[in-house]
Amino acid sequence: MVASKLSAMSLLLRSSQIHSVGCYTTSAIPSGAKVVEYAGRKITAAQGDELYEGLEITYLFGLEDGKHVIDGNGMAAFINHSCDPNCETDEIDGRVWIISAREIAAGEELTYDYNLYDGEAPDEAPCSCGAKNCRGSMFAPEEIKRLKKLSRKQPAKLAS
Ligand SMILES: [Zn+2]
């Protein structure tokens, strides 16, 4: 895969139909391009939990080691989730890149699938991306299954 890096100048933030603010491209992007780095401070997952305790919105990106997160402070932190995304993410040497999953036209909002994990309830991260295949949640499909099982077990626990 030849990944050409786009100029950050071709991205802009403006209000989004999906959620608050979104990240848009002003130029066409070929498939498989490194669009933008998920830039930010690398901290431990515990530090991340502390930092955003009680807040609804976080800008944390979990790294593959399961122990560290990136506290996003760049354009990529504003990219919204979609169940039918035009980008995917890839961790390369400890850095996270947003990579175009298909050709993207100028003016399109960039999205990727958050595939969230470590939730507490299935309805904790609802999705309203509007995609035909929207699964109604930003959790990863396996995580939704785990959380649903968990929430079925809880009433039994309370009764005992
Ligand atoms: Zn969705």
Side-chain angles (χ1 to χ4, degrees), residues 124-144:
E124 201 179 34
C127 178
S128 50
C129 71
K132 270 190 201 138
N133 64 341
C134 180
R135 59 181 186 263
S137 170
M138 295 189 277
F139 284 120
E142 310 80 57
E143 179 72 0
I144 296 171

Side-chain angles (χ1 to χ4, degrees), residues 102-159:
R102 58 164 170 83
E103 279 181 43
I104 302 172
E108 270 193 73
E109 176 173 2
L110 303 179
T111 54
Y112 66 91
D113 191 325
Y114 282 11
N115 277 315
L116 295 181
Y117 55 92
D118 271 353
E120 278 163 14
D123 55 358
E124 201 179 34
C127 178
S128 50
C129 71
K132 270 190 201 138
N133 64 341
C134 180
R135 59 181 186 263
S137 170
M138 295 189 277
F139 284 120
E142 310 80 57
E143 179 72 0
I144 296 171
K145 270 186 227 160
R146 189 184 74 85
L147 290 170
K148 279 187 177 160
K149 242 191 244 168
L150 216 66
S151 66
R152 272 201 300 271
K153 271 181 197 159
Q154 264 159 3
K157 233 189 258 171
L158 287 173

Side-chain angles (χ1 to χ4, degrees), residues 42 46 63 101 117 160:
K42 189 172 163 180
L63 295 181
Y117 55 92
S160 68

